[in-house]
Amino acid sequence: MTSDNDRRRGLFARLRGRPGAPSRGRRRLGAAVRLVAALMLAGGAYTVLAPGAAAQENPPLSSAAADGKALFDVSCVTCHGRNAQGVEGRGPSLIGVGAASVEFQVSTGRMPMARQEAQAARKPEVFTRDEIDQLAAYVQELGGGPVVPAGDDLHAGGNVAIGGELYRINCSQCHAFSGGGGALSSGKYAPSLAPATDRQIYAAMLSGPQNMPVFGDNQITPEQKADIIAYIQQTLKDDGDPGGLFNLGRYGPSTEGMAIFLVGIVALVFASLWIAGKS
Amino acid sequence: MKRRKFDVAAVPGNTARAVDDRFQVATPLRRLLNKVFPDHWSFLLGEIALFSFIVLLLTGVFLTFFFEPAMTEVIYNGSYAPLRGTPMSAAYASTLDISFDVRGGLIMRQMHHWAALLFMAAIVVHMLRIFFTGAFRKPRETNWIIGSLLFWVGFLAGFTGYSLPDDGLSGTGLRIASAIMLSIPVIGSWVTAAVFNGEFPGTIIISRFFIAHVLLIPALLVALITVHLGLVFKQKHTQWPGPGRTNGNVVGERMFPRYAIKQGGFFMVVFGVIALMGGLFQINPVWLFGPYEAWVVSAASQPDWYVMFLDGSTRLMPDWEITIPIGEGYVIPPLFWPTVVLPGILVALSLLYPFMEARHLKDYRSHNLLQRPRDVPFRTGLGVMALTFYVILTLSGANDVIADKFHISLNAMTWAGRIGLLLLPPLAYYVTYRICLGLQQHDREVLAHGVETGIIRRLPDGRFVEVHQPLSAGDGHGELDYAGWVVPKKMNRLGALGPAIRGFFYPIERPAEAPVSPGHPPVEPRPEREEITSGETRS
């Protein structure tokens, strides 16, 4: 049967569809050559595409990263462990979190943490800008991860109208319509955006610190991030509150209710005391 | 030739005579203008509500000139840049125009909102005064009911107004309202469909709420306020007990001119306070909330303060779902209890309270004299108990803001609210009851023994006693009857010391020299004491 014959013939011969196979010795030689060629191709491709660092067991750190490691070994190692591999029950591994995460956590003073609690609070930062860059370089070289683009002004050219819409959909559930922040469950909270810089907001979106979800570049593109930052920085912070001298903290109707009793009712009760006292 | 002189001084009289010749109004008008109103600062609290209602009408009419109650989608192109190019409802776009493009629109909008909050706050404060002084007793039960209804109609007016701008906050409020309606067993879905004309949000709710907010509810409010004031007029105002004041008379000022001038002045003060608040304090920045979209809910979305107790009761309610095995299973959602049943109970209790109290005390007489809160401890206790209940619910309505700003766990706030709601009102009742009894006792003590003078006398046997100034003449031990009014507790009220200096903000008279009581000669400087020694000197 033809099918039995086909099975006995080589693959290439079958593809060629030509019966009458070459000699046995030639077939073996051809197979050897093809094997060698395939091995060389695979090896070459691996050499070209694989990261060079992986080839060495202990990659040398850049000088900035080495400085960062020195800082890390003094200030962070207690909770994040040697080589930033994390300590069970104390601090997570930092391999793969990226420079963006380091920049956010350290430049807002959240790290180093004062104590273990529901959530690290913003406080005056411990490290200088250069030291933060060194720490970021170290963590970046450990395992890669998201990086904040260069520059301090990350909202240039942002469209506040689009940014406002994106802010209301993605951010206002937790940070509130005003950017003033809000409560989450069990002592956790979304912080106020008032002290946040462009880079910090960008880094927070990229790295999703604490209870915040990650808004990677696939969900919110870099242009949309610029729009959101523009809305926060230009509209929410520089709005100027056209409604009056006091914005009552922009906490919504709760402080407005307080104001009507503490200001309105108190003033008018004093007025009625005054008027009734005139008899 | 004699020139006829035009006598200016006679003009008012002549005009009045001319009017009376034609309309015969002098007799009824005299009765009206001579009507007497008792004077006390706490009687002016209701007027705050009345005057802020007038401000509400004035500013509200202004707003209707520019507001477009439609949900048709438009692209905003006004002067507020961060929303330009955003699709939104015509209602929200016109609210933004009122805020940014209409001259004086923003302060009018803010005055309207502040006046609404003040209206409701003044109603509550006025109601507390009525309750704690027993002014709701026969014959004024009807007016108490009308006043309670005014709160609930004002509640509806506030909620419909809150919904009109169609910003993120008002849409969220409407969504909750639709959920509350849906939670009513059996009829819930029909009610919601009838109100929203189908599914939430539909396309007609703003127009319907608009006509309710500017016509139906204000008409009802005006009608209720008219009857309320008419009844005060007919039944006459209550008064505090005091010299010359009995259950059968009214002591006070005539309506004209003093009372009318005072009320006119007070209206100006209320208007001024609302205008100042409208200009100084930003309220409801609708431009930050953005247009309502179902998927946009901001943190700290709260209703106005008078609705917040319902938000609070919802937050405190455990998730108890009742499944009734009829057909495929019928579910009563937990939302039904705190938002439909609870307000229902509150309305019924507040409306029926005067009758329940009369039945409890078997007191069916007419009362025109007020009672001091301390003299009826159980009522005062009940009032404080209800107030505590309401305040806990209201605070719980804002518990996320409190949790965030005071760094408390939100879960802890919820549990504190749940436990507090059950424990604190009875505790408040007990504490208030004891305070009332203590104050009563002190009053009786002063009536029996006199006012404390602060003078300590040492008796020959070495005891120290305080000298009391008896209130009654005679031997100073005859007990006086309590008259239901303030008992003097300081010497200057008796004339033993100089009277209190008159004037509210600054003294309007020179403080008088303290008259010297004949019983107590002026104090002379202490005589020099001779040192008592043993006769020897130590060297």
Side-chain angles (χ1 to χ4, degrees):
Chain A
M1 281 176 76
T2 37
S3 63
D4 285 342
N5 285 342
D6 279 355
R7 211 169 285 161
R8 263 183 264 119
R9 280 161 49 199
L11 173 71
F12 279 53
R14 251 185 291 158
L15 284 177
R16 275 199 303 274
R18 195 182 53 173
S23 77
R24 190 174 174 165
R26 223 180 123 194
R27 279 210 314 271
R28 288 203 174 151
L29 186 68
V33 169
R34 283 195 294 273
L35 181 65
V36 169
L39 283 173
M40 284 183 69
L41 188 70
Y46 183 77
T47 321
V48 171
L49 297 178
Q56 286 161 320
E57 229 173 352
N58 278 319
L61 294 168
S62 65
S63 71
D67 292 343
K69 182 170 165 45
L71 290 169
F72 183 92
D73 286 343
V74 172
S75 300
C76 321
V77 72
T78 319
C79 300
H80 291 295
R82 291 182 61 199
N83 297 320
Q85 283 158 336
V87 175
E88 186 74 33
R90 243 189 268 165
S93 163
L94 298 184
I95 294 165
V97 300
S101 185
V102 176
E103 180 166 354
F104 177 83
Q105 301 283 2
V106 183
S107 75
T108 59
R110 287 185 165 82
M111 294 292 151
M113 246 175 138
R115 59 180 172 274
Q116 295 282 349
E117 56 187 331
Q119 186 171 331
R122 190 184 182 110
K123 54 185 185 295
E125 61 266 36
V126 175
F127 294 105
T128 64
R129 180 78 186 257
D130 290 337
E131 290 169 336
I132 294 168
D133 288 344
Q134 290 161 358
L135 278 170
Y138 172 57
V139 170
Q140 185 68 28
E141 288 183 20
L142 279 178
V147 180
V148 182
D152 278 332
D153 180 10
L154 295 179
H155 68 268
N159 181 333
V160 288
I162 297 173
E165 202 174 345
L166 289 168
Y167 178 87
R168 288 190 293 273
I169 292 173
N170 293 295
C171 318
S172 70
Q173 295 93 318
C174 303
H175 291 287
F177 65 94
S178 60
L184 304 174
S185 60
S186 304
K188 291 173 274 190
Y189 58 92
S192 165
L193 299 177
T197 65
D198 286 9
R199 290 188 67 82
Q200 286 164 355
I201 298 171
Y202 204 107
M205 285 193 276
L206 273 183
S207 64
Q210 318 217 10
N211 298 291
M212 182 165 160
V214 173
F215 295 94
D217 285 347
N218 291 334
Q219 284 113 3
I220 293 183
T221 64
E223 296 81 55
Q224 290 174 328
K225 287 193 169 81
D227 293 341
I228 292 178
I229 296 173
Y231 180 74
I232 294 170
Q233 303 289 29
Q234 292 172 3
T235 306
L236 289 185
K237 293 192 194 169
D238 293 337
D239 169 65
D241 289 313
L245 288 181
F246 306 101
N247 63 11
L248 303 176
R250 288 197 196 154
Y251 295 143
S254 39
T255 45
E256 292 160 9
M258 262 173 65
I260 200 63
F261 279 94
L262 294 184
V263 179
I265 289 291
V266 165
L268 289 170
V269 164
F270 269 96
S272 57
L273 279 165
W274 177 49
I275 288 175
K278 289 278 170 194
S279 54
Chain B
M1 200 173 100
K2 234 174 113 182
R3 284 181 66 188
R4 282 185 65 180
K5 232 173 116 187
F6 185 70
D7 190 359
V8 180
V11 168
N14 289 336
T15 316
R17 193 173 305 114
V19 169
D20 188 46
D21 284 346
R22 287 165 182 80
F23 305 112
Q24 287 88 40
V25 288
T27 312
L29 214 57
R30 172 174 298 147
R31 255 180 75 89
L32 184 72
L33 296 182
N34 280 341
K35 192 165 178 64
V36 168
F37 285 90
D39 202 20
H40 188 260
W41 69 269
S42 67
F43 300 166
L44 293 169
L45 298 174
E47 270 87 343
I48 301 175
L50 176 68
F51 297 148
S52 44
F53 182 68
I54 295 172
V55 176
L56 276 172
L57 291 180
L58 295 175
T59 51
V61 167
F62 179 89
L63 294 177
T64 56
F65 294 154
F66 304 99
F67 181 70
E68 194 187 338
M71 291 173 89
T72 40
E73 190 167 281
V74 296
I75 303 292
Y76 178 70
N77 200 21
S79 59
Y80 185 65
L83 284 173
R84 220 174 276 155
T86 309
M88 58 180 65
S89 68
Y92 184 54
S94 63
T95 311
L96 289 175
D97 287 341
I98 290 173
S99 303
F100 292 108
D101 295 311
V102 173
R103 192 177 294 266
L106 183 55
I107 192 174
M108 283 295 186
R109 223 200 82 220
Q110 300 206 130
M111 277 177 70
H112 192 71
H113 204 142
W114 281 121
L117 296 193
L118 184 65
F119 178 64
M120 295 303 286
I123 285 180
V124 169
V125 175
H126 174 59
M127 232 172 142
L128 291 177
R129 198 283 290 174
I130 299 291
F131 183 85
F132 285 121
T133 59
F136 56 82
R137 291 173 298 166
K138 191 183 170 188
R140 296 181 179 78
E141 303 99 325
T142 323
N143 236 7
W144 166 263
I145 290 173
I146 292 172
S148 308
L149 290 179
L150 271 170
F151 175 84
W152 293 108
V153 178
F155 180 97
L156 284 182
F159 183 73
T160 48
Y162 176 91
S163 303
L164 287 183
D166 202 24
D167 62 319
L169 194 58
S170 66
T172 305
L174 266 178
R175 171 83 267 193
I176 296 170
S178 88
I180 292 172
M181 287 185 240
L182 277 173
S183 79
I184 305 173
V186 185
I187 60 166
S189 43
W190 306 101
V191 169
T192 321
V195 170
F196 289 91
N197 199 27
E199 258 305 320
F200 172 86
T203 52
I204 190 119
I205 189 68
I206 298 284
S207 320
R208 286 187 175 171
F209 269 26
F210 180 71
I211 206 65
H213 183 72
V214 303
L215 179 73
L216 303 178
I217 296 174
L220 191 55
L221 280 174
V222 169
L224 286 173
I225 290 174
T226 311
V227 179
H228 196 70
L229 295 182
L231 279 176
V232 172
F233 218 83
K234 175 70 187 63
Q235 298 177 329
K236 301 183 184 65
H237 205 290
T238 49
Q239 61 185 352
W240 289 105
R245 296 173 185 176
T246 67
N247 206 25
N249 69 2
V250 184
V251 179
E253 291 174 342
R254 285 187 179 152
M255 176 140 160
F256 193 83
R258 277 194 68 120
Y259 185 76
I261 290 171
K262 278 186 170 185
Q263 294 297 317
F266 196 40
F267 172 68
M268 301 295 170
V269 173
V270 173
F271 197 109
V273 167
I274 293 173
L276 275 178
M277 293 194 77
L280 291 176
F281 298 100
Q282 174 169 288
I283 186 166
N284 194 15
V286 284
W287 51 91
L288 291 179
F289 286 99
Y292 176 63
E293 285 152 315
W295 52 88
V296 172
V297 179
S298 165
S301 284
Q302 259 107 18
D304 280 337
W305 75 265
Y306 44 87
V307 189
M308 223 178 263
F309 77 100
L310 286 183
D311 203 324
S313 63
T314 310
R315 290 176 190 212
L316 298 187
M317 179 72 193
D319 55 349
W320 295 335
E321 204 169 70
I322 298 175
T323 310
I324 302 169
I326 307 174
E328 294 171 20
Y330 191 86
V331 174
I332 300 179
L335 183 64
F336 176 63
W337 308 106
T339 56
V340 182
V341 174
L342 177 81
I345 294 173
L346 293 184
V347 173
L349 276 182
S350 68
L351 293 189
L352 293 179
Y353 183 80
F355 305 102
M356 294 193 298
E357 190 193 289
R359 198 182 154 85
H360 173 68
L361 296 177
K362 298 186 179 59
D363 177 4
Y364 300 104
R365 287 166 299 150
S366 281
H367 296 279
N368 295 320
L369 288 177
L370 297 172
Q371 287 172 311
R372 300 176 80 197
R374 68 185 62 174
D375 293 335
V376 198
F378 86 92
R379 183 201 292 144
T380 310
L382 281 179
V384 175
M385 189 168 157
L387 193 64
T388 312
F389 187 80
Y390 186 87
V391 167
I392 291 173
L393 287 183
T394 303
L395 288 180
S396 294
N399 65 4
D400 60 326
V401 177
I402 297 172
D404 186 36
K405 300 307 160 197
F406 292 95
H407 304 294
I408 306 168
S409 160
L410 184 58
N411 305 44
M413 282 295 298
T414 305
W415 276 104
R418 284 173 180 169
I419 296 168
L421 194 65
L422 297 178
L423 286 188
L424 290 183
L427 190 69
Y429 178 87
Y430 177 76
V431 171
T432 312
Y433 203 99
R434 300 303 305 176
I435 291 175
C436 287
L437 290 186
L439 289 170
Q440 275 187 29
Q441 196 172 8
H442 192 237
D443 279 350
R444 302 303 188 279
E445 203 176 284
V446 170
L447 289 171
H449 303 294
V451 180
E452 294 161 355
T453 58
I455 299 168
I456 309 290
R457 177 177 290 165
R458 190 178 187 191
L459 301 184
D461 56 4
R463 279 182 299 149
F464 290 97
V465 294
E466 183 175 6
V467 177
H468 283 75
Q469 168 73 48
L471 293 178
S472 57
D475 60 354
H477 287 285
E479 190 161 338
L480 289 175
D481 284 335
Y482 179 64
W485 186 228
V486 179
V487 174
K489 290 187 176 170
K490 287 184 183 160
M491 287 300 283
N492 58 6
R493 293 213 171 159
L494 297 179
L497 296 175
I501 299 160
R502 281 166 59 85
F504 192 85
F505 291 116
Y506 52 89
I508 54 173
E509 62 182 8
R510 274 174 58 88
E513 289 294 317
V516 177
S517 160
H520 300 279
V523 181
E524 283 170 9
R526 192 179 64 176
E528 279 296 311
R529 276 197 193 158
E530 231 173 90
E531 201 180 342
I532 301 167
T533 61
S534 61
E536 299 168 26
T537 48
R538 231 183 294 173
S539 53

